[in-house]
Amino acid sequence: MEEIPLIVVQWLHLLAAFLWIGGGSYALFVQLPGVLALAPAARGPVVAQLAPRQMTYLLRAAELTLATGLIRIVVSGRAQELNAPLGTRWAASTLIGTIGAVAIYVLIRAIVKAGGKVRAFDPV
């Protein structure tokens, strides 16, 4: 019976991660080519409608992924293993995953704060 909370949290964590990665992949591989296929004059109104919704969705999915990941660490009872992060494979992979997820989340937040103006990705 005590495994049920862990199973629920693990499934929520996986679902949130799929939504986060899937949402970003959809935006990159489906929406972006569709928007770029439009005439330049038509892109503005489309992007003005899509971008805020997409960013809100991605940020909420990222936050849910990070929150359920932290809850998962606590519910699993393995939080003490993080005292020596390179002591076990679980601790090392959890540390690497957490650093990567937080880095991507911070990057998304920075892009949103900059108003989506990222020079390296702007089509010329």
Side-chain angles (χ1 to χ4, degrees):
M1 241 4 204
E2 65 229 20
E3 304 91 29
I4 292 177
L6 179 59
I7 292 170
V8 169
V9 171
Q10 285 178 333
W11 277 102
L12 287 174
H13 182 63
L14 284 173
L15 177 64
F18 290 150
L19 292 173
W20 184 13
I21 300 301
S25 298
Y26 176 79
L28 184 63
F29 297 117
V30 177
Q31 284 181 348
L32 183 61
V35 169
L36 292 176
L38 295 172
R43 290 181 194 165
V46 171
V47 170
Q49 290 295 315
L50 283 178
R53 293 176 187 188
Q54 186 69 27
M55 285 297 116
T56 300
Y57 168 83
L58 286 175
L59 288 171
R60 297 303 87 79
E63 291 160 359
L64 184 61
T65 303
L66 292 169
T68 54
L70 293 174
I71 293 168
R72 185 174 164 264
I73 290 170
V74 173
V75 171
S76 71
R78 298 180 80 175
Q80 72 278 359
E81 289 183 41
L82 295 176
N83 290 335
L86 300 178
T88 65
R89 285 183 291 177
W90 178 86
S93 63
T94 298
L95 180 65
I96 291 168
T98 302
I99 290 170
V102 169
I104 293 170
Y105 177 77
V106 168
L107 179 65
I108 292 171
R109 275 282 188 199
I111 291 170
V112 169
K113 188 174 183 178
K117 294 179 176 79
V118 179
R119 296 298 313 166
F121 299 108
D122 281 345
V124 181

